[in-house]
């Protein structure tokens, strides 16, 4: 009669070999997949990387909008200084507000005219402002008496 727990007709060595094979199978089965903790950690890393990528894309979009504003404001300032040159009039000292429309948007600016050490020249700064009144761009030139 065989001891309890051992199948009939199985010797001890065969039983040991069977247990060893089953243990090896279970060990390789455990090594094949990922644990829940490993999957959660990898998902957290991917989520953080995607969030950083979305933030970077948002910053690039904001910068592109600001660049478009600065370029349009620069065109406005350049147009005002060109109009002064074409008028062929010697500008008086002082500040003058102006408006300009570029790309469907209205920009506000200030022409700041200051004297120079040579009385035959004036320094003129065209300062373009954003909606909050902060300077977007400043372009300067020197105009001479004709």
């Amino acid at each position: 009669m065989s001891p309890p727990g051992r199948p009939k007709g199985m010797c001890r060595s065969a039983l040991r070999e069977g247990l060893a094979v089953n243990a090896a199978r279970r060990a390789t089965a455990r090594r094949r997949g990922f644990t829940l903790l490993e999957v959660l950690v990898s998902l957290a890393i991917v989520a953080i990387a995607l969030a950083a990528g979305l933030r970077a894309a948002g910053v690039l979009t904001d910068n592109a909008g600001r660049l478009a504003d600065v370029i349009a404001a620069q065109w406005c300032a350049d147009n005002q200084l060109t109009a002064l040159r074409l008028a062929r009039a010697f500008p008086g000292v002082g500040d003058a507000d102006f408006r300009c429309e570029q790309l469907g948007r209205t920009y506000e600016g200030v022409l700041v005219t200051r004297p120079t050490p040579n009385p035959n020249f004036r320094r003129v700064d065209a300062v373009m402002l954003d909606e909050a009144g902060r300077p977007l761009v400043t372009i300067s030139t020197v105009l001479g008496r004709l």
Side-chain angles (χ1 to χ4, degrees):
M1 183 172 246
S2 58
R6 185 182 338 157
K8 263 187 173 178
M10 225 179 175
C11 66
R12 284 184 197 251
S13 64
L15 184 63
R16 281 191 197 126
E17 282 178 28
L19 290 176
V21 168
N22 282 340
R25 281 186 192 150
R26 277 183 278 159
T28 58
R30 271 190 245 136
R31 284 188 233 140
R32 276 191 218 149
F34 296 106
T35 65
L36 179 61
L37 183 61
E38 290 170 336
V39 170
L40 290 176
V41 167
S42 64
L43 282 176
I45 290 170
V46 168
I48 290 170
L50 287 175
L54 284 175
R55 174 152 165 65
V59 168
L60 285 174
T61 303
D62 291 344
N63 283 344
R66 173 150 168 76
L67 180 62
D69 284 345
V70 168
I71 287 172
Q74 185 175 357
W75 290 341
C76 283
D78 204 21
N79 287 344
Q80 287 297 316
L81 294 177
T82 302
L84 278 176
R85 279 189 217 108
L86 291 176
R88 296 195 180 273
F90 194 61
V93 175
D95 297 352
D97 294 333
F98 66 93
R99 288 176 182 251
C100 172
E101 189 169 329
Q102 289 288 342
L103 301 176
R105 190 164 163 226
T106 302
Y107 292 90
E108 298 203 12
V110 180
L111 280 177
V112 180
T113 306
R114 298 290 178 249
T116 62
N118 184 337
N120 291 320
F121 294 100
R122 296 271 201 267
R123 175 186 168 152
V124 182
D125 298 327
V127 181
M128 300 306 299
L129 308 171
D130 65 3
E131 296 85 17
R134 295 178 303 229
L136 272 175
V137 67
T138 301
I139 298 179
S140 299
T141 190
V142 175
L143 296 175
R145 188 183 315 262
L146 295 176

